[in-house]
Amino acid sequence: MSIDTELPEGVIELDASSLKSGETANVTITFNESVANPFDAIEVSNGTLSALVSDTSGGSDNGAQLGRVWTGVFTPNDDIEVSSNTLILD
């Protein structure tokens, strides 16, 4: 038996580079290995991130992909205007 002590690494991608009040951005988070709860690794500032859904397009036969790719929606706060809203993968 071996125990994985390495933290997973990942990349966060947004489909919009700037947002106005009322707009949202689709978020895709891709990890190098499966994770059960990606919210544990994400810090959100100046907005909210919806519930994340794991990409199950590979089906149950593709166990290596399940939990690696997550999608959600980022909504910036209405009452703030900043040059950058951030999602940080800890």
Side-chain angles (χ1 to χ4, degrees):
M1 172 192 247
S2 64
I3 297 174
D4 183 359
T5 59
E6 297 288 323
L7 293 175
E9 296 177 7
V11 175
I12 298 175
E13 297 179 61
L14 285 83
D15 71 349
S17 59
S18 64
L19 299 171
K20 296 178 185 174
S21 179
E23 294 181 333
T24 61
N26 293 314
V27 178
T28 302
I29 305 164
T30 305
F31 291 94
N32 65 338
E33 63 182 68
S34 293
V35 296
N37 184 2
F39 265 112
D40 288 345
I42 300 170
E43 178 184 326
V44 181
S45 66
N46 300 324
T48 58
L49 183 59
S50 71
L52 296 172
V53 178
S54 180
D55 179 6
T56 58
S57 62
S60 60
D61 293 335
N62 192 11
Q65 290 295 93
L66 296 176
R68 288 189 65 228
V69 178
W70 295 82
T71 57
V73 176
F74 175 76
T75 304
N77 291 341
D78 286 336
D79 59 345
I80 191 167
E81 184 174 329
V82 295
S83 60
S84 65
N85 295 315
T86 58
L87 297 175
I88 299 172
L89 193 58
D90 290 332

